[in-house]
Amino acid sequence: MISAPKNVIALIRQFVECESPSDEPASVNRFVELLAESVKDIARVKMYAGGAGRGKHLHCEFLLPGSTKTGQIMALGHSDTVWPLGTLRTMPFEHARGRLWGPGVFDMKAGLAFFIFAMRELRERDIPVARKVVLQVNSDEEIGSPSSRVLTERTARASNAVLVLEPSQGLDGKLKTSRKGVGDYTVTVRGRAAHAGLDFSSGASAIVEMARQIERIAGFTRLDRGITVSPGVIRGGTRSNVIAGECTAEIDVRIPRTKDAHYLERQFASLKPYDKRCTVLVTGGMNRPPLERSAGVRALFRKARALAAEMGIVLEESAAGGGSDGNFSAALGVPTLDGLGAVGEGAHASHESILTNRIADRIALLSNLVAAL
């Protein structure tokens, strides 16, 4: 186990101070180049175009001990963050109070650094690895993985296991053995615009109709089944003295099981206007399938828990409401273990930070897990 992670902290600082918002491809590419430079002596590196307005995706194949490689282990992460350029001015990288602080340190630049040092550990200790080990770093995870999903699924299909470097759940470092699937629906109501004073009766308010629809849509939530439906953004109307001709609502949905998607599809398809002068149009659907706690996931967790126990660490599992790129690999039936990155808190929040006293054991867990698979 690494006892003095000063070199790890130095790399994490470099990663955090290279800002990489999803919608700034030049900045994402600078980070991808930095990451590629940090592994060039221990891995073969390829880059893939990320699509219009997006940064590049990175694929690293590590050069590890062991003469024969059968099968593949895939490590999965992302280079993009939710933080806009310039966040470092008000939220600088800091090493204080037993933590590392800064935008993206928890979600998930520390996890990337951990895996790099885990692979260096295997090389330095000359531990043979039975499988090829690849790391895929996507540039668009925070915005739904529109261009990287195909690459993720292609690599996952060729893999025996997927290790997701997203941060852990809670300050006790729980791994994630299930994640909800995520979807986005857009509901558009079209009514009849009219002057609110001169021609009120000729109008059919899209806003009033949407208010009725929203109450019904919110009722699609089934907390007893873990299904949530949350209207998040509503836009409509032009002026207060004009009866609104159009209104749209953006709806976030979360499901714990793949079969739950059919329930939501039926519910949204059933929407009909209360005011017959209006029309209701529904678009969208699920964009990230759930990571279900399959037999393969459970077996992978048990192996990780046993390895952690050998180091004196009690490792627990959890379910997460948010999705990750690991959802895609799990939906293909590939054993996937998530939350193997940093232990900390504050993802997407101003107190984003990781615990420095949990750096060494997480790196050791990653290296031992790769060697054991």
Side-chain angles (χ1 to χ4, degrees), residues 333-351:
V334 183
T336 300
L337 190 57
D338 205 331
L340 285 159
V343 179
E345 61 183 342
H348 303 186
S350 59
H351 64 291

Side-chain angles (χ1 to χ4, degrees), residues 132-294:
K132 181 169 73 171
V133 178
V134 300
L135 167 64
Q136 182 173 309
V137 184
N138 297 327
S139 66
D140 57 358
E141 191 272 347
E142 295 289 5
I143 55 171
S145 310
S147 69
S148 63
R149 177 174 181 172
V150 172
L151 182 61
T152 298
E153 292 177 334
R154 186 174 73 202
T155 308
R157 285 191 181 97
S159 303
N160 301 84
V162 176
L163 308 178
V164 185
L165 305 174
E166 291 280 353
S168 67
Q169 185 92 331
L171 292 176
D172 49 1
K174 292 178 183 177
L175 301 191
K176 300 167 184 176
T177 52
S178 67
R179 279 184 179 271
K180 287 188 177 182
V182 183
D184 297 289
Y185 281 89
T186 298
V187 177
T188 301
V189 172
R190 294 190 176 95
R192 294 179 185 174
H195 194 290
L198 300 179
D199 201 15
F200 183 86
S201 60
S202 295
S205 173
I207 289 177
V208 172
E209 177 65 30
M210 181 63 82
R212 295 168 173 162
Q213 296 293 336
I214 287 295
E215 186 172 12
R216 183 177 178 191
I217 290 167
F220 297 164
T221 291
R222 293 290 182 270
L223 289 179
D224 58 330
R225 294 166 55 186
I227 300 170
T228 59
V229 180
S230 175
V233 178
I234 299 176
R235 301 181 183 90
T238 54
R239 294 178 182 275
S240 62
N241 63 349
V242 177
I243 294 172
E246 185 168 306
C247 185
T248 63
E250 297 174 15
I251 319 293
D252 176 276
V253 300
R254 309 275 166 154
I255 59 172
R257 293 165 297 273
T258 301
K259 64 182 181 181
D260 297 326
H262 301 302
Y263 160 76
L264 287 178
E265 288 167 2
R266 292 193 302 271
Q267 294 300 110
F268 277 96
S270 72
L271 293 177
K272 299 291 188 296
Y274 290 86
D275 185 334
K276 301 305 180 183
R277 298 173 298 171
C278 296
T279 60
V280 179
L281 174 67
V282 177
T283 57
M286 300 304 300
N287 58 39
R288 203 181 290 272
L291 191 169
E292 298 190 51
R293 191 177 178 271
S294 65

